[in-house]
Amino acid sequence: MILDGAKAFSNQTLEVDYCIIGSGAGGAFAAALLSERGYKVAIVEEGPYQQTEDFKHMRESRAYPELYQELASRKTKDKAINVLQGRNVGGGTTVNWTTCFRTPDNTLKHWRENFDLPFTSENLARHFEFCEKRFSISPWEIPPNENNSILAKGMKALGRDYGHISRNVKGCYNLGYCGVGCPTGAKQSQLVTSIPKALGLGAILAPRWRAYRLAHQFGRIKRLEAYNLPGLGNTSGDIKLTIHAREFISSAGAIGTPALFLRSKLHDQSGLLGKRTFVHPTVISGAVFEDEVQPYLGAPQSIYSDHFLWQEHGFKLEVPPVHPVLLASTLMARGEQHRELMLKLNNLQVCIALQRDGFSADSIGGRVELNSDGHPVLDYQWSPAMGDGFKNALLAMGELQFAAGAKEVLPIHARGVRCHDFTSFKAHVDTLSMKPLDIKIVSAHVMGGACFGVDQARSVTDLNGRVWGYDNLSVVDGSLFPTSIAANPMLSILGHTHRIFS
């Protein structure tokens, strides 16, 4: 049963066992696991229900407004960080770049020592193994495209470590357009795995409805109230969907879940709801090569390096796909310089550095707030020390790009200029401010804001995602994590979903 809010003409009421808000990695997987156990499940999703055949166009101009939060223009409160998040059936799994990492050992160690969380690589292994088998997650065996090969070549030339990324694909055509929706169905997203499984077992899918409020009384959620979203953007309609359920699960993401709870005025003894919300603040370095790179073709991410990850304010090195709209909106150049760089797209290679956040006293993350319309806003500021991490990351990327044979390297910064050797590049980067709006910061990963824990004075939920003080409300998404993951978080979310519901 599909109950599309964009086509609704009258108020609707449903009664189910489980009401799940959000259809990304946590929500859709939970829906499938619960449906397999015979429960009646309803899945509420803000975005549209588009399927594989809807992605044949492979066009950014359609995908970004249709499949991403705020038409792919979501930013932090001060506009200093671009936040790419999926908003569609399948959530971020529909539009991500298929990069899969287990939660790093050092992250789990930090959680044990600082948050008393009991998780280890050993006791999580069976959950990750289950997810890897179910969603076809395995090392990518096809040779990396040139864009990724340059990262490997540069790190090897410098004598530094790099590795190969596992991807959740089956029969991948190696096209490189994962971010606009897989046109072949090879990406094993929740859209083509858990959602069909749940629907086949009788689940109800309600796309294009905004979960606005959880009505509650005496520590129990009574109902969800949602409103239809008839078009693109954030404007909701007046048609109401009311869902009564035995259990409610929020999987709306690390911005959406805190926002829903804040709108619902849930009691939070810890005072942490919406706080300690983390991204992986990501800086960018572009390089021009003599030979063609064609950074828009081939598996988008297949090589990475953790060489710098566990130093202070460390960072993970990866490579993004580079498509025209993504490039044009990321460059901080103007006029003729912007045009010239766009014309060099075929010869352009890009590295990104994802800084881990939440591991030191001065990295406290951001805070989810509500604006006057009840929409969420992430207030996020970084410390001067984190700015030093950004500078180190730019230097590391520039060095490896020159080592791989780059003709020129450009730090993506408001005052960045192209340099033709590493000596001049290093001197140039040393002069650059790392203040908000000066340096380009992006992120596709949001975590925290409703962290799990063993003490209700220091966490929003217990270890199984049950919200303290509410006997039928749980969280299963990236907002559970007390810090950033220090790796792409999809597999971590899937693993904890299986741990909780298996």
Side-chain angles (χ1 to χ4, degrees):
M1 178 179 175
I2 312 294
L3 187 63
D4 192 336
K7 300 176 182 178
F9 293 99
S10 61
N11 294 342
Q12 308 282 330
T13 300
L14 297 174
E15 292 197 14
V16 294
D17 296 318
Y18 281 85
C19 173
I20 300 177
I21 301 143
S23 64
F29 189 24
L33 293 172
L34 291 166
S35 296
E36 288 171 359
R37 290 161 58 184
Y39 292 109
K40 186 71 172 179
V41 175
I43 311 161
V44 181
E45 168 59 51
E46 280 193 3
Y49 182 32
Q50 295 195 6
Q51 301 181 66
T52 298
E53 55 267 26
D54 297 309
F55 306 140
K56 301 292 186 183
H57 56 80
M58 297 168 59
R59 289 173 57 190
E60 294 176 278
S61 58
R62 281 187 57 182
Y64 297 154
E66 291 177 353
L67 303 176
Y68 286 78
Q69 283 286 357
E70 300 179 32
L71 288 70
S73 63
R74 172 167 275 182
K75 297 179 184 292
T76 51
K77 188 175 182 177
D78 61 1
K79 314 301 182 189
I81 303 178
N82 291 45
V83 182
L84 280 177
Q85 286 185 292
R87 185 174 77 166
N88 58 78
V89 173
T93 73
T94 300
V95 294
N96 69 17
W97 299 334
T98 72
T99 300
C100 297
F101 290 100
R102 295 187 182 189
T103 312
D105 289 342
N106 284 347
T107 299
L108 296 174
K109 180 175 183 289
H110 182 80
W111 289 0
R112 290 194 300 272
E113 293 175 350
N114 293 273
F115 301 98
D116 299 321
L117 300 182
F119 308 123
T120 66
S121 294
E122 290 73 26
N123 62 32
L124 291 175
R126 70 180 183 91
H127 304 294
F128 289 135
E129 289 166 2
F130 180 93
C131 296
E132 287 161 352
K133 181 177 180 180
R134 182 158 178 149
F135 300 113
S136 302
I137 297 170
S138 62
W140 181 238
E141 295 181 352
I142 293 177
N145 65 4
E146 185 63 18
N147 200 24
N148 281 269
S149 294
I150 287 169
L151 172 58
K153 182 179 178 180
M155 295 301 284
K156 184 177 181 179
L158 295 169
R160 295 170 182 166
D161 296 333
Y162 65 92
H164 295 262
I165 293 173
S166 292
R167 307 179 64 221
N168 60 314
V169 294
K170 182 189 296 184
C172 178
Y173 282 54
N174 202 27
L175 297 175
Y177 284 74
C178 306
V180 296
C182 180
T184 68
K187 184 199 297 190
Q188 298 301 286
S189 68
Q190 297 304 297
L191 176 66
V192 301
T193 54
S194 296
I195 293 294
K197 170 68 74 173
L199 290 175
L201 293 170
I204 300 168
L205 177 62
R208 302 297 293 162
W209 296 92
R210 169 171 290 128
Y212 186 77
R213 186 172 78 98
L214 293 164
H216 54 96
Q217 187 177 28
F218 305 126
R220 187 167 181 82
I221 306 302
K222 298 295 186 181
R223 63 187 179 276
L224 170 71
E225 298 170 358
Y227 293 89
N228 69 320
L229 286 164
L232 297 175
N234 280 327
T235 304
S236 57
D238 297 323
I239 299 173
K240 185 177 182 180
L241 172 64
T242 302
I243 301 181
H244 301 273
R246 290 166 46 193
E247 295 279 343
F248 294 81
I249 300 171
S250 184
S251 300
I255 292 178
T257 285
L260 173 62
F261 290 2
L262 289 168
R263 284 195 299 268
S264 304
K265 298 183 175 9
L266 294 187
H267 174 69
D268 168 37
Q269 180 177 319
S270 70
L272 289 172
L273 178 61
K275 299 178 182 177
R276 289 188 63 81
T277 301
F278 298 102
V279 299
H280 288 135
T282 300
V283 294
I284 310 165
S285 181
V288 177
F289 283 77
E290 185 71 40
D291 297 328
E292 283 196 346
V293 177
Q294 296 182 311
Y296 42 83
L297 294 179
Q301 292 191 319
S302 55
I303 300 292
Y304 76 99
S305 175
D306 285 348
H307 181 84
F308 301 96
L309 184 57
W310 299 109
Q311 66 184 31
E312 187 175 7
H313 298 296
F315 47 88
K316 188 181 195 76
L317 294 177
E318 294 179 350
V319 171
V322 185
H323 297 283
V325 174
L326 200 60
L327 174 61
S329 59
T330 301
L331 288 172
M332 302 187 81
R334 298 189 180 114
E336 185 60 29
Q337 186 184 23
H338 189 284
R339 177 179 180 275
E340 183 182 349
L341 288 166
M342 290 298 299
L343 290 173
K344 293 183 177 182
L345 173 59
N346 275 339
N347 298 77
L348 184 67
Q349 193 272 343
V350 175
C351 286
I352 54 176
L354 295 71
Q355 185 173 141
R356 58 185 174 88
D357 194 6
F359 290 76
S360 60
D362 68 339
S363 58
I364 61 172
R367 175 176 180 170
V368 175
E369 303 173 346
L370 301 178
N371 67 14
S372 59
D373 295 323
H375 296 143
V377 178
L378 177 59
D379 185 5
Y380 180 98
Q381 298 179 1
W382 61 79
S383 67
M386 289 181 68
D388 292 339
F390 299 152
K391 186 167 289 191
N392 291 337
L394 288 175
L395 292 173
M397 291 187 289
E399 186 178 19
L400 78 87
Q401 288 168 321
F402 279 119
K407 292 171 54 182
E408 54 188 33
V409 176
L410 170 69
I412 306 304
H413 187 284
R415 286 180 288 281
V417 299
R418 286 174 281 173
C419 301
H420 296 85
D421 59 73
F422 183 64
T423 300
S424 60
F425 179 83
K426 183 178 185 302
H428 172 54
V429 169
D430 284 341
T431 70
L432 297 178
S433 159
M434 297 295 120
K435 294 180 181 178
L437 301 177
D438 283 347
I439 184 171
K440 172 69 78 171
I441 303 289
V442 299
S443 185
H445 309 148
V446 190
M447 299 141 284
C451 60
F452 52 20
V454 296
D455 180 357
Q456 58 184 313
R458 299 177 58 212
S459 57
V460 177
T461 84
D462 68 14
L463 294 179
N464 289 322
R466 179 75 69 182
V467 177
W468 295 112
Y470 294 88
D471 62 12
N472 66 336
L473 175 62
S474 299
V475 175
V476 186
D477 60 26
S479 59
L480 289 174
F481 304 138
T483 69
S484 70
I485 290 290
N488 306 56
M490 179 177 68
L491 183 51
S492 293
I493 296 170
L494 292 171
H496 281 282
T497 302
H498 185 258
R499 177 183 64 82
I500 292 168
F501 291 107
S502 63

mmCIF file of all heavy atoms in Angstrom, residues 102-135:
data_model
loop_
_atom_site.group_PDB
_atom_site.id
_atom_site.type_symbol
_atom_site.label_atom_id
_atom_site.label_comp_id
_atom_site.label_asym_id
_atom_site.label_seq_id
_atom_site.Cartn_x
_atom_site.Cartn_y
_atom_site.Cartn_z
ATOM 1 N N ARG A 102 32.988 -0.304 8.362
ATOM 2 C CA ARG A 102 32.570 -0.613 9.727
ATOM 3 C C ARG A 102 33.034 0.519 10.649
ATOM 4 O O ARG A 102 33.960 1.259 10.321
ATOM 5 C CB ARG A 102 33.174 -1.938 10.190
ATOM 6 C CG ARG A 102 32.681 -3.154 9.420
ATOM 7 C CD ARG A 102 33.197 -4.442 10.051
ATOM 8 N NE ARG A 102 32.768 -5.613 9.306
ATOM 9 C CZ ARG A 102 32.925 -6.874 9.709
ATOM 10 N NH1 ARG A 102 33.528 -7.112 10.891
ATOM 11 N NH2 ARG A 102 32.501 -7.878 8.969
ATOM 12 N N THR A 103 32.395 0.624 11.810
ATOM 13 C CA THR A 103 32.816 1.629 12.784
ATOM 14 C C THR A 103 34.267 1.360 13.176
ATOM 15 O O THR A 103 34.615 0.243 13.579
ATOM 16 C CB THR A 103 31.942 1.573 14.041
ATOM 17 O OG1 THR A 103 30.565 1.552 13.657
ATOM 18 C CG2 THR A 103 32.205 2.775 14.941
ATOM 19 N N PRO A 104 35.151 2.345 13.065
ATOM 20 C CA PRO A 104 36.575 2.103 13.362
ATOM 21 C C PRO A 104 36.818 1.692 14.813
ATOM 22 O O PRO A 104 36.114 2.132 15.730
ATOM 23 C CB PRO A 104 37.219 3.471 13.069
ATOM 24 C CG PRO A 104 36.286 4.151 12.127
ATOM 25 C CD PRO A 104 34.912 3.700 12.536
ATOM 26 N N ASP A 105 37.824 0.873 15.027
ATOM 27 C CA ASP A 105 38.192 0.430 16.373
ATOM 28 C C ASP A 105 38.461 1.614 17.295
ATOM 29 O O ASP A 105 38.070 1.611 18.465
ATOM 30 C CB ASP A 105 39.444 -0.460 16.314
ATOM 31 C CG ASP A 105 39.167 -1.824 15.705
ATOM 32 O OD1 ASP A 105 37.986 -2.213 15.636
ATOM 33 O OD2 ASP A 105 40.140 -2.494 15.297
ATOM 34 N N ASN A 106 39.173 2.613 16.794
ATOM 35 C CA ASN A 106 39.518 3.757 17.643
ATOM 36 C C ASN A 106 38.288 4.550 18.062
ATOM 37 O O ASN A 106 38.259 5.120 19.159
ATOM 38 C CB ASN A 106 40.500 4.682 16.914
ATOM 39 C CG ASN A 106 41.905 4.131 16.898
ATOM 40 O OD1 ASN A 106 42.219 3.183 17.618
ATOM 41 N ND2 ASN A 106 42.768 4.702 16.080
ATOM 42 N N THR A 107 37.273 4.614 17.212
ATOM 43 C CA THR A 107 36.020 5.273 17.586
ATOM 44 C C THR A 107 35.343 4.503 18.706
ATOM 45 O O THR A 107 34.891 5.087 19.713
ATOM 46 C CB THR A 107 35.088 5.383 16.366
ATOM 47 O OG1 THR A 107 35.722 6.167 15.358
ATOM 48 C CG2 THR A 107 33.763 6.030 16.748
ATOM 49 N N LEU A 108 35.255 3.188 18.568
ATOM 50 C CA LEU A 108 34.630 2.370 19.612
ATOM 51 C C LEU A 108 35.405 2.474 20.920
ATOM 52 O O LEU A 108 34.803 2.513 22.006
ATOM 53 C CB LEU A 108 34.549 0.916 19.143
ATOM 54 C CG LEU A 108 33.653 0.659 17.915
ATOM 55 C CD1 LEU A 108 33.779 -0.786 17.460
ATOM 56 C CD2 LEU A 108 32.203 1.000 18.227
ATOM 57 N N LYS A 109 36.728 2.499 20.842
ATOM 58 C CA LYS A 109 37.559 2.646 22.044
ATOM 59 C C LYS A 109 37.267 3.979 22.732
ATOM 60 O O LYS A 109 37.122 4.044 23.968
ATOM 61 C CB LYS A 109 39.032 2.547 21.668
ATOM 62 C CG LYS A 109 40.024 2.678 22.830
ATOM 63 C CD LYS A 109 41.451 2.449 22.330
ATOM 64 C CE LYS A 109 42.463 2.499 23.466
ATOM 65 N NZ LYS A 109 42.643 3.879 23.982
ATOM 66 N N HIS A 110 37.158 5.056 21.945
ATOM 67 C CA HIS A 110 36.839 6.367 22.511
ATOM 68 C C HIS A 110 35.474 6.349 23.182
ATOM 69 O O HIS A 110 35.299 6.925 24.265
ATOM 70 C CB HIS A 110 36.879 7.417 21.403
ATOM 71 C CG HIS A 110 36.618 8.813 21.878
ATOM 72 N ND1 HIS A 110 37.590 9.590 22.475
ATOM 73 C CD2 HIS A 110 35.479 9.572 21.870
ATOM 74 C CE1 HIS A 110 37.070 10.769 22.791
ATOM 75 N NE2 HIS A 110 35.805 10.778 22.437
ATOM 76 N N TRP A 111 34.516 5.676 22.585
ATOM 77 C CA TRP A 111 33.174 5.598 23.178
ATOM 78 C C TRP A 111 33.207 4.820 24.495
ATOM 79 O O TRP A 111 32.523 5.202 25.448
ATOM 80 C CB TRP A 111 32.221 4.921 22.200
ATOM 81 C CG TRP A 111 31.879 5.756 21.002
ATOM 82 C CD1 TRP A 111 32.306 7.013 20.708
ATOM 83 C CD2 TRP A 111 31.031 5.361 19.924
ATOM 84 N NE1 TRP A 111 31.783 7.435 19.521
ATOM 85 C CE2 TRP A 111 30.995 6.446 19.005
ATOM 86 C CE3 TRP A 111 30.310 4.217 19.630
ATOM 87 C CZ2 TRP A 111 30.245 6.398 17.827
ATOM 88 C CZ3 TRP A 111 29.564 4.160 18.451
ATOM 89 C CH2 TRP A 111 29.535 5.247 17.573
ATOM 90 N N ARG A 112 33.982 3.759 24.543
ATOM 91 C CA ARG A 112 34.062 2.979 25.789
ATOM 92 C C ARG A 112 34.685 3.810 26.900
ATOM 93 O O ARG A 112 34.211 3.805 28.042
ATOM 94 C CB ARG A 112 34.871 1.699 25.563
ATOM 95 C CG ARG A 112 34.184 0.662 24.687
ATOM 96 C CD ARG A 112 34.867 -0.701 24.774
ATOM 97 N NE ARG A 112 36.270 -0.661 24.359
ATOM 98 C CZ ARG A 112 36.685 -0.815 23.115
ATOM 99 N NH1 ARG A 112 35.804 -1.012 22.143
ATOM 100 N NH2 ARG A 112 37.972 -0.790 22.811
ATOM 101 N N GLU A 113 35.742 4.541 26.560
ATOM 102 C CA GLU A 113 36.492 5.270 27.588
ATOM 103 C C GLU A 113 35.807 6.558 28.024
ATOM 104 O O GLU A 113 35.997 7.001 29.162
ATOM 105 C CB GLU A 113 37.895 5.588 27.052
ATOM 106 C CG GLU A 113 38.750 4.347 26.842
ATOM 107 C CD GLU A 113 40.090 4.669 26.210
ATOM 108 O OE1 GLU A 113 40.276 5.836 25.759
ATOM 109 O OE2 GLU A 113 40.946 3.766 26.150
ATOM 110 N N ASN A 114 35.010 7.155 27.168
ATOM 111 C CA ASN A 114 34.433 8.459 27.477
ATOM 112 C C ASN A 114 32.923 8.453 27.672
ATOM 113 O O ASN A 114 32.379 9.385 28.272
ATOM 114 C CB ASN A 114 34.783 9.453 26.360
ATOM 115 C CG ASN A 114 36.257 9.769 26.298
ATOM 116 O OD1 ASN A 114 36.743 10.667 26.976
ATOM 117 N ND2 ASN A 114 36.999 9.013 25.490
ATOM 118 N N PHE A 115 32.248 7.410 27.169
ATOM 119 C CA PHE A 115 30.791 7.370 27.278
ATOM 120 C C PHE A 115 30.283 6.060 27.872
ATOM 121 O O PHE A 115 29.064 5.838 27.935
ATOM 122 C CB PHE A 115 30.152 7.586 25.894
ATOM 123 C CG PHE A 115 30.546 8.894 25.252
ATOM 124 C CD1 PHE A 115 31.573 8.930 24.316
ATOM 125 C CD2 PHE A 115 29.920 10.074 25.600
ATOM 126 C CE1 PHE A 115 31.951 10.129 23.727
ATOM 127 C CE2 PHE A 115 30.288 11.279 25.010
ATOM 128 C CZ PHE A 115 31.311 11.307 24.077
ATOM 129 N N ASP A 116 31.209 5.191 28.287
ATOM 130 C CA ASP A 116 30.861 3.900 28.911
ATOM 131 C C ASP A 116 30.028 3.007 27.999
ATOM 132 O O ASP A 116 29.258 2.164 28.481
ATOM 133 C CB ASP A 116 30.108 4.128 30.238
ATOM 134 C CG ASP A 116 30.940 4.879 31.260
ATOM 135 O OD1 ASP A 116 32.149 4.599 31.332
ATOM 136 O OD2 ASP A 116 30.392 5.753 31.949
ATOM 137 N N LEU A 117 30.164 3.171 26.704
ATOM 138 C CA LEU A 117 29.443 2.306 25.772
ATOM 139 C C LEU A 117 30.172 0.969 25.651
ATOM 140 O O LEU A 117 31.396 0.941 25.583
ATOM 141 C CB LEU A 117 29.328 2.981 24.403
ATOM 142 C CG LEU A 117 28.583 4.325 24.373
ATOM 143 C CD1 LEU A 117 28.513 4.855 22.951
ATOM 144 C CD2 LEU A 117 27.184 4.185 24.953
ATOM 145 N N PRO A 118 29.447 -0.132 25.602
ATOM 146 C CA PRO A 118 30.092 -1.452 25.672
ATOM 147 C C PRO A 118 30.514 -2.025 24.325
ATOM 148 O O PRO A 118 30.928 -3.183 24.255
ATOM 149 C CB PRO A 118 28.977 -2.316 26.278
ATOM 150 C CG PRO A 118 27.718 -1.719 25.738
ATOM 151 C CD PRO A 118 27.971 -0.238 25.654
ATOM 152 N N PHE A 119 30.452 -1.266 23.261
ATOM 153 C CA PHE A 119 30.635 -1.828 21.933
ATOM 154 C C PHE A 119 32.101 -2.043 21.589
ATOM 155 O O PHE A 119 32.952 -1.191 21.850
ATOM 156 C CB PHE A 119 29.993 -0.915 20.880
ATOM 157 C CG PHE A 119 28.563 -0.579 21.190
ATOM 158 C CD1 PHE A 119 28.156 0.743 21.300
ATOM 159 C CD2 PHE A 119 27.627 -1.578 21.385
ATOM 160 C CE1 PHE A 119 26.841 1.060 21.596
ATOM 161 C CE2 PHE A 119 26.308 -1.276 21.681
ATOM 162 C CZ PHE A 119 25.917 0.048 21.791
ATOM 163 N N THR A 120 32.365 -3.195 20.990
ATOM 164 C CA THR A 120 33.686 -3.538 20.484
ATOM 165 C C THR A 120 33.537 -4.064 19.061
ATOM 166 O O THR A 120 32.438 -4.446 18.640
ATOM 167 C CB THR A 120 34.366 -4.617 21.336
ATOM 168 O OG1 THR A 120 33.608 -5.842 21.208
ATOM 169 C CG2 THR A 120 34.424 -4.215 22.808
ATOM 170 N N SER A 121 34.635 -4.095 18.341
ATOM 171 C CA SER A 121 34.583 -4.664 16.992
ATOM 172 C C SER A 121 34.149 -6.117 17.038
ATOM 173 O O SER A 121 33.456 -6.596 16.125
ATOM 174 C CB SER A 121 35.961 -4.543 16.328
ATOM 175 O OG SER A 121 36.290 -3.186 16.115
ATOM 176 N N GLU A 122 34.519 -6.816 18.117
ATOM 177 C CA GLU A 122 34.172 -8.238 18.236
ATOM 178 C C GLU A 122 32.678 -8.426 18.464
ATOM 179 O O GLU A 122 32.046 -9.279 17.818
ATOM 180 C CB GLU A 122 34.969 -8.876 19.373
ATOM 181 C CG GLU A 122 36.462 -9.023 19.093
ATOM 182 C CD GLU A 122 37.205 -7.691 19.135
ATOM 183 O OE1 GLU A 122 36.726 -6.750 19.829
ATOM 184 O OE2 GLU A 122 38.261 -7.571 18.464
ATOM 185 N N ASN A 123 32.075 -7.655 19.391
ATOM 186 C CA ASN A 123 30.653 -7.916 19.655
ATOM 187 C C ASN A 123 29.718 -7.274 18.630
ATOM 188 O O ASN A 123 28.523 -7.551 18.618
ATOM 189 C CB ASN A 123 30.256 -7.529 21.091
ATOM 190 C CG ASN A 123 30.425 -6.044 21.395
ATOM 191 O OD1 ASN A 123 30.274 -5.186 20.538
ATOM 192 N ND2 ASN A 123 30.741 -5.748 22.653
ATOM 193 N N LEU A 124 30.268 -6.433 17.745
ATOM 194 C CA LEU A 124 29.465 -5.897 16.649
ATOM 195 C C LEU A 124 29.677 -6.660 15.344
ATOM 196 O O LEU A 124 28.928 -6.465 14.383
ATOM 197 C CB LEU A 124 29.799 -4.424 16.415
ATOM 198 C CG LEU A 124 29.366 -3.425 17.497
ATOM 199 C CD1 LEU A 124 29.881 -2.030 17.155
ATOM 200 C CD2 LEU A 124 27.838 -3.390 17.647
ATOM 201 N N ALA A 125 30.684 -7.539 15.327
ATOM 202 C CA ALA A 125 31.090 -8.177 14.072
ATOM 203 C C ALA A 125 29.945 -8.933 13.405
ATOM 204 O O ALA A 125 29.744 -8.827 12.189
ATOM 205 C CB ALA A 125 32.269 -9.115 14.316
ATOM 206 N N ARG A 126 29.172 -9.700 14.175
ATOM 207 C CA ARG A 126 28.120 -10.511 13.550
ATOM 208 C C ARG A 126 27.027 -9.645 12.933
ATOM 209 O O ARG A 126 26.396 -10.033 11.947
ATOM 210 C CB ARG A 126 27.524 -11.500 14.549
ATOM 211 C CG ARG A 126 26.679 -10.908 15.659
ATOM 212 C CD ARG A 126 26.152 -11.987 16.572
ATOM 213 N NE ARG A 126 25.268 -11.464 17.610
ATOM 214 C CZ ARG A 126 23.955 -11.362 17.465
ATOM 215 N NH1 ARG A 126 23.384 -11.740 16.328
ATOM 216 N NH2 ARG A 126 23.204 -10.894 18.446
ATOM 217 N N HIS A 127 26.812 -8.468 13.504
ATOM 218 C CA HIS A 127 25.800 -7.564 12.949
ATOM 219 C C HIS A 127 26.295 -6.948 11.641
ATOM 220 O O HIS A 127 25.538 -6.842 10.669
ATOM 221 C CB HIS A 127 25.457 -6.483 13.965
ATOM 222 C CG HIS A 127 24.989 -7.024 15.282
ATOM 223 N ND1 HIS A 127 23.808 -7.723 15.413
ATOM 224 C CD2 HIS A 127 25.565 -6.995 16.521
ATOM 225 C CE1 HIS A 127 23.655 -8.086 16.669
ATOM 226 N NE2 HIS A 127 24.704 -7.665 17.364
ATOM 227 N N PHE A 128 27.571 -6.570 11.622
ATOM 228 C CA PHE A 128 28.132 -6.053 10.377
ATOM 229 C C PHE A 128 28.171 -7.147 9.309
ATOM 230 O O PHE A 128 27.873 -6.895 8.130
ATOM 231 C CB PHE A 128 29.524 -5.485 10.611
ATOM 232 C CG PHE A 128 29.546 -4.198 11.391
ATOM 233 C CD1 PHE A 128 30.454 -3.999 12.414
ATOM 234 C CD2 PHE A 128 28.651 -3.175 11.104
ATOM 235 C CE1 PHE A 128 30.478 -2.806 13.123
ATOM 236 C CE2 PHE A 128 28.665 -1.985 11.816
ATOM 237 C CZ PHE A 128 29.589 -1.804 12.832
ATOM 238 N N GLU A 129 28.532 -8.349 9.701
ATOM 239 C CA GLU A 129 28.595 -9.455 8.743
ATOM 240 C C GLU A 129 27.225 -9.720 8.130
ATOM 241 O O GLU A 129 27.103 -9.963 6.920
ATOM 242 C CB GLU A 129 29.139 -10.707 9.424
ATOM 243 C CG GLU A 129 30.625 -10.622 9.755
ATOM 244 C CD GLU A 129 31.075 -11.716 10.717
ATOM 245 O OE1 GLU A 129 30.223 -12.569 11.089
ATOM 246 O OE2 GLU A 129 32.255 -11.717 11.104
ATOM 247 N N PHE A 130 26.192 -9.697 8.961
ATOM 248 C CA PHE A 130 24.834 -9.902 8.453
ATOM 249 C C PHE A 130 24.482 -8.836 7.419
ATOM 250 O O PHE A 130 23.965 -9.132 6.338
ATOM 251 C CB PHE A 130 23.827 -9.862 9.610
ATOM 252 C CG PHE A 130 22.402 -10.075 9.177
ATOM 253 C CD1 PHE A 130 21.854 -11.339 9.187
ATOM 254 C CD2 PHE A 130 21.607 -9.010 8.756
ATOM 255 C CE1 PHE A 130 20.526 -11.547 8.765
ATOM 256 C CE2 PHE A 130 20.292 -9.197 8.347
ATOM 257 C CZ PHE A 130 19.760 -10.471 8.353
ATOM 258 N N CYS A 131 24.769 -7.578 7.755
ATOM 259 C CA CYS A 131 24.436 -6.472 6.847
ATOM 260 C C CYS A 131 25.254 -6.538 5.567
ATOM 261 O O CYS A 131 24.735 -6.265 4.471
ATOM 262 C CB CYS A 131 24.655 -5.131 7.543
ATOM 263 S SG CYS A 131 23.558 -4.854 8.960
ATOM 264 N N GLU A 132 26.520 -6.900 5.676
ATOM 265 C CA GLU A 132 27.371 -6.989 4.492
ATOM 266 C C GLU A 132 26.856 -8.060 3.532
ATOM 267 O O GLU A 132 26.873 -7.869 2.309
ATOM 268 C CB GLU A 132 28.811 -7.261 4.916
ATOM 269 C CG GLU A 132 29.467 -6.030 5.553
ATOM 270 C CD GLU A 132 30.698 -6.339 6.379
ATOM 271 O OE1 GLU A 132 30.997 -7.542 6.602
ATOM 272 O OE2 GLU A 132 31.366 -5.388 6.811
ATOM 273 N N LYS A 133 26.367 -9.154 4.089
ATOM 274 C CA LYS A 133 25.816 -10.206 3.238
ATOM 275 C C LYS A 133 24.483 -9.776 2.645
ATOM 276 O O LYS A 133 24.238 -9.953 1.446
ATOM 277 C CB LYS A 133 25.647 -11.498 4.050
ATOM 278 C CG LYS A 133 25.109 -12.662 3.226
ATOM 279 C CD LYS A 133 25.037 -13.936 4.056
ATOM 280 C CE LYS A 133 24.504 -15.095 3.217
ATOM 281 N NZ LYS A 133 24.428 -16.363 4.015
ATOM 282 N N ARG A 134 23.624 -9.192 3.468
ATOM 283 C CA ARG A 134 22.275 -8.827 3.017
ATOM 284 C C ARG A 134 22.302 -7.729 1.955
ATOM 285 O O ARG A 134 21.482 -7.740 1.024
ATOM 286 C CB ARG A 134 21.442 -8.386 4.213
ATOM 287 C CG ARG A 134 19.989 -8.016 3.860
ATOM 288 C CD ARG A 134 19.127 -8.119 5.064
ATOM 289 N NE ARG A 134 17.754 -7.738 4.813
ATOM 290 C CZ ARG A 134 16.704 -8.247 5.454
ATOM 291 N NH1 ARG A 134 16.884 -9.192 6.365
ATOM 292 N NH2 ARG A 134 15.486 -7.828 5.191
ATOM 293 N N PHE A 135 23.235 -6.795 2.084
ATOM 294 C CA PHE A 135 23.257 -5.652 1.173
ATOM 295 C C PHE A 135 24.436 -5.683 0.201
ATOM 296 O O PHE A 135 24.810 -4.661 -0.363
ATOM 297 C CB PHE A 135 23.254 -4.351 1.985
ATOM 298 C CG PHE A 135 22.044 -4.220 2.866
ATOM 299 C CD1 PHE A 135 22.169 -4.262 4.254
ATOM 300 C CD2 PHE A 135 20.776 -4.110 2.324
ATOM 301 C CE1 PHE A 135 21.062 -4.164 5.079
ATOM 302 C CE2 PHE A 135 19.646 -4.009 3.136
ATOM 303 C CZ PHE A 135 19.788 -4.044 4.517
#
